[in-house]
Amino acid sequence: MLELNSDPIRQGGIELFAKRFRSGELSSESVTQIYLDRINRLNPKLEAFEHISFEDALRTARAMDLLIRAGTDLGPLMGVPIAIKDVFYINKMPAPKAGSDLELSGILGVNEGEFIQALRKAGCVLLGTTKSVEFCLGITGNSKTRGTPWNPTDLENRRVPGGSSSGSGVATAAGLCAFSIGSDSGGSVRVPAAFNGIFGLKTTFGLWPTDGAFPLDPRVDSIGLLTKSAADAMIAFKAISSIIFGYKYDPKSSGVRLDRLNIGIPSNHFFNDLNSEISSSFTEVNNYLASKGCKFENIYVPEAAERAEYFPVSMPASLISILGKERFLENKHLIDPIIAKRIESGLESKAYDFLSLENRRMKSIYSVTQKFAGFDAWATPTTADFAPLLSDLDDSEKALKLALGMTQNTQPANYLGLCAISLSLPVDGLPIGYQLMGSPNSDFRLLEIAVEFERSIKTYKKDN
């Protein structure tokens, strides 16, 4: 059994840790040691980590303890132990594998990107790197090259963890870190969040810099957070953003009240082939929120369906351009056969076809941004079904259907340049993800809404 209650930051979250850390009741070193012990004990089964930085993590934690005692406060993330998806170049850690056995030298460079530097400036303790699907090209989380992390919501039956930020989702859910970093090009943060019963944030495209990270598709890639709660995500988002934007990021809260929110429910695309239990839970929660004054209104978003034509062209072509045709063909035998087949389709892509798709996407981004007028956010289920058994992927036709159901509701936010979150509904059995999407650069407002929804939904669960 996973001892979730022994996770030192699960109860009270980052906010309580920060208070106890500053009062001297907790040290960063002691909490870091607890997480490293949990990783030692649980990771052999869960397989969430690609690399564990034992000595450097403890060294950083001790430094944070000395600094806080000396009166130097780096902010709310100081001393907090975190994990990072293995697609970022990080000093003193092995070069990222991006889920592959392929040699990737020359693609990422040899310097930390601005985002990783921001985490260091915030005082985060870097525990190590977490597993990724090969080249981030896989929504199920299944990896034949580096191993598939075990979804901790079901320790008897091996279920997919969601990808491509599979290790980050599992590490956060299992209490192997306070929170983790992922990347999201089509749902790679939100799907692991939904399947592992945690919170996921996909930031607006371009908000956080992606230099120093393996690029799946630079036109849609964005960095995200996998946290234990919306409240933790809000704290982390504000702290990291303030550093990235030169400590000038100070968004003003307008306050969130359920009876002043107007939430759009896209009436098309997002509800195709939806599991009846997920549909029922989504409706029940919305009915409860409506009883508290939240307004829900149907909206038609035909642009969402365009993602089905765009991503099968853009992602393979992008990977061919990044890896290089010769490197790919010479090393294709080292790549997972299914992923290799997907990448190979990029060799047939024609520039004018892709540019036509991209031009249509730009028009759709403008159109959808206008449709957000009058709405605080749009809501959908995160995925069309529950996390399937890993063995279900052995059937290629079933695997394709399952994968399409995982990206159906998440890819539109990437395609349309939106920010989005997935919060976990408190249901019995396997977790269900509830997705909120916001207009571009409304990340802070979206998180405020998510925090209020999370608080209200917990009350709903207690009452029922």
Side-chain angles (χ1 to χ4, degrees), residues 2 4 7 10 35 38-39 42-43 46-49 82-84 127-131 149-152 161 165-181 196 198 226 228:
L2 283 178
L4 294 181
D7 177 349
R10 181 170 295 274
Y35 279 125
R38 287 177 64 81
I39 292 169
L42 300 175
N43 196 63
L46 299 177
E47 299 183 55
F49 278 82
I82 70 169
I84 302 173
L127 295 171
T129 56
T130 52
K131 289 187 179 178
W150 189 307
N151 186 327
S165 306
S166 51
S168 288
V170 170
T172 300
L176 305 185
C177 57
F179 69 89
S180 60
I181 304 300
N196 290 278
I198 54 176
L226 291 125
K228 298 176 175 71

Side-chain angles (χ1 to χ4, degrees), residues 298-318:
N298 287 339
I299 183 171
Y300 185 58
V301 189
E303 298 88 348
E306 295 171 7
R307 60 95 201 181
E309 294 180 57
Y310 181 82
F311 284 102
V313 174
S314 67
M315 287 185 172
S318 177

Side-chain angles (χ1 to χ4, degrees), residues 134-135 137 312-313 315-317 319-320 323 328-329 331-349 396-397 400:
E134 192 161 19
F135 304 132
L137 192 64
V313 174
M315 287 185 172
L319 278 173
I320 289 292
L323 296 173
F328 169 69
L329 292 176
N331 296 279
K332 190 172 71 169
H333 63 286
L334 298 175
I335 302 173
D336 179 296
I338 294 176
I339 291 176
K341 185 176 180 180
R342 290 183 65 188
I343 297 173
E344 194 167 22
S345 69
L347 295 172
E348 307 301 320
S349 296
S396 59
E397 288 187 12
L400 177 60

Side-chain angles (χ1 to χ4, degrees), residues 22 43 69 76 88 106 109-110 130 155 167 201 209 235 243 245 276 300 317 360 391 396 428 439 447 449 458 462-463:
R22 282 158 181 78
N43 196 63
R69 288 200 294 269
F88 293 87
V110 292
T130 52
L155 295 176
L201 164 69
I235 293 170
I243 295 172
F245 299 124
S276 59
Y300 185 58
R360 181 171 69 167
S391 58
S396 59
D428 296 327
S439 58
L447 282 167
I449 296 169
K458 285 180 180 177
K462 290 178 182 177
D463 294 344

Side-chain angles (χ1 to χ4, degrees), residues 39 53 68 129 145 150 184 209 219 228 305 312:
I39 292 169
S53 189
I68 200 69
T129 56
T145 52
W150 189 307
D184 191 314
R219 284 156 292 275
K228 298 176 175 71

Side-chain angles (χ1 to χ4, degrees), residues 39 74 85 94 99 116 158 164 201 216 241 278 286-287 325 341 344 364 393 409 420 436 456-457:
I39 292 169
L74 302 180
K85 184 177 182 179
I116 299 299
R158 191 158 198 179
S164 61
L201 164 69
L216 168 56
S241 295
I278 290 178
N286 286 346
N287 288 341
K325 179 180 177 180
K341 185 176 180 180
E344 194 167 22
S364 293
L393 304 184
N409 290 2
L436 288 171
S456 300
I457 290 170

Side-chain angles (χ1 to χ4, degrees), residues 2-170:
L2 283 178
E3 301 168 14
L4 294 181
N5 290 334
S6 64
D7 177 349
I9 297 183
R10 181 170 295 274
Q11 299 299 324
I14 294 173
E15 183 177 14
L16 181 58
F17 166 78
K19 291 179 181 178
R20 298 176 73 188
F21 173 60
R22 282 158 181 78
S23 70
E25 184 181 349
L26 276 181
S27 69
S28 178
E29 182 181 4
S30 65
V31 170
T32 298
Q33 187 64 63
I34 290 172
Y35 279 125
L36 291 173
D37 289 344
R38 287 177 64 81
I39 292 169
N40 256 338
R41 188 168 68 255
L42 300 175
N43 196 63
K45 178 181 178 70
L46 299 177
E47 299 183 55
F49 278 82
E50 181 68 43
H51 170 75
I52 306 163
S53 189
F54 291 99
E55 293 183 4
D56 282 339
L58 287 170
R59 190 177 297 115
T60 300
R62 293 185 193 109
M64 294 303 106
D65 290 336
L66 290 172
L67 282 173
I68 200 69
R69 288 200 294 269
T72 299
D73 195 329
L74 302 180
L77 298 185
M78 184 177 184
V80 176
I82 70 169
I84 302 173
K85 184 177 182 179
D86 187 43
V87 296
F88 293 87
Y89 184 91
I90 304 173
N91 292 339
K92 297 184 179 180
M93 291 192 196
K97 295 183 178 296
S100 181
D101 288 333
L102 203 65
E103 171 59 46
L104 299 178
S105 60
I107 292 178
L108 293 177
V110 292
N111 296 305
E112 286 186 343
E114 186 180 353
F115 181 78
I116 299 299
Q117 284 290 308
L119 295 176
R120 292 193 186 279
K121 291 175 183 177
C124 293
V125 176
L126 311 186
L127 295 171
T129 56
T130 52
K131 289 187 179 178
S132 167
V133 175
E134 192 161 19
F135 304 132
C136 303
L137 192 64
I139 199 66
T140 65
N142 186 31
S143 174
K144 293 183 178 179
T145 52
R146 307 302 305 172
T148 304
W150 189 307
N151 186 327
T153 64
D154 187 346
L155 295 176
E156 300 300 321
N157 306 290
R158 191 158 198 179
R159 296 185 179 275
V160 301
S164 61
S165 306
S166 51
S168 288
V170 170

Side-chain angles (χ1 to χ4, degrees), residues 363-383:
K363 293 177 182 177
S364 293
I365 288 174
Y366 176 80
S367 172
V368 165
T369 300
Q370 307 310 304
K371 288 181 180 180
F372 266 96
F375 291 101
D376 295 282
W378 294 347
T380 73
T382 307
T383 61

